[in-house]
Amino acid sequence: MAKSSLHRYTTQEALNILTGGGGADIVAASGSDVNLTAHTYVAITAITACDVDLVSSDTDIWDSHTALVIPAGTTIYGNWSSVNITDGDTAVVYRAHSTD
């Protein structure tokens, strides 16, 4: 069994993640899919229902590669090195750190 990383964050780091302390990218995919890979991403809020393709940095929680639909108004949490938002969808994608 893999060692869980659920408790690897300090209280302050967890609060930064939950409040978007690392900053965010507002993604309005128009004309083509948008693939974010420049940061580590920790949360996604779907503004519209979003088809996403995710590559996980934390396989204790997520499969290494996951495709799913996030309903509008829903936020999911994880640890991803790549977030792909499908053309026509809009989301706010939160970064783990402002400088990573």
Side-chain angles (χ1 to χ4, degrees):
M1 179 175 179
K3 183 178 177 184
S4 175
S5 60
L6 285 173
H7 302 286
R8 73 174 165 199
Y9 295 113
T10 66
T11 301
Q12 186 61 54
E13 288 170 328
L15 286 171
N16 285 344
I17 289 169
L18 291 172
T19 60
D25 295 306
I26 299 172
V27 179
S30 178
S32 65
D33 293 359
V34 174
N35 192 38
L36 303 173
T37 60
H39 302 281
T40 299
Y41 302 96
V42 293
I44 303 166
T45 299
I47 305 302
T48 62
C50 289
D51 288 323
V52 296
D53 200 14
L54 308 167
V55 175
S56 181
S57 302
D58 184 357
T59 55
D60 289 345
I61 306 299
W62 293 88
D63 290 335
S64 60
H65 182 252
T66 303
L68 58 103
V69 176
I70 306 171
T74 302
T75 301
I76 63 170
Y77 297 92
N79 194 310
W80 303 286
S81 59
S82 174
V83 175
N84 188 74
I85 306 292
T86 300
D87 180 25
D89 296 341
T90 303
V92 180
V93 183
Y94 296 91
R95 300 185 295 263
H97 308 284
S98 62
T99 59
D100 71 342

